Amino acid sequence: MLFADPGEMEVTVGSVLSETADGPAETQHWHRKADGSVFWATLSLSPLGDEGFVAVSQDTTEKHQYDKMLERQNDRLKEFTDILAHDLKSALSVISS
């Protein structure tokens, strides 16, 4: 099985194949290996004229995990700067009064 979620596979494969009418298409999803383990992969499809498609699936689990870690750090940094801005505004309003 290519995708970890069979329901997702039906929707994704159809949409990616329709995108290849305009040229190569790429999608990222959880995939399932033959042993049952899952991994995050980038699937690239390119049309071969009337002969079919070339499909390349690349394991991008580490990059996906790194991107998620960066998103969490950015969220924490935004929360910190929001708190800091609030505290500074409060202090400045006391000083200016």
Side-chain angles (χ1 to χ4, degrees):
M1 176 183 303
L2 184 60
F3 295 96
D5 178 9
E8 180 181 25
M9 181 176 85
E10 294 173 12
V11 173
T12 305
V13 170
S15 64
V16 173
L17 287 176
S18 67
E19 290 177 25
T20 59
D22 300 328
E26 187 174 279
T27 185
Q28 296 181 351
H29 292 279
W30 287 106
H31 294 246
R32 185 175 307 278
K33 295 181 183 179
D35 66 3
S37 63
V38 294
F39 64 101
W40 187 257
T42 300
L43 174 66
S44 302
L45 287 172
S46 298
L48 286 176
D50 295 335
E51 298 178 26
F53 301 90
V54 172
V56 177
S57 181
Q58 182 178 6
D59 184 345
T60 53
T61 303
E62 287 183 20
K63 181 184 180 315
H64 180 68
Q65 290 171 341
Y66 181 75
D67 290 345
K68 290 294 182 186
M69 184 264 310
L70 286 178
E71 286 177 20
R72 286 190 301 272
Q73 286 183 341
N74 284 340
D75 290 344
R76 288 176 46 212
L77 183 59
K78 169 109 174 66
E79 184 179 328
F80 172 73
T81 56
D82 288 347
I83 292 169
L84 185 61
H86 177 270
D87 290 350
L88 286 173
K89 286 179 186 176
S90 296
L92 290 174
S93 67
V94 169
I95 292 171
S96 65
S97 304

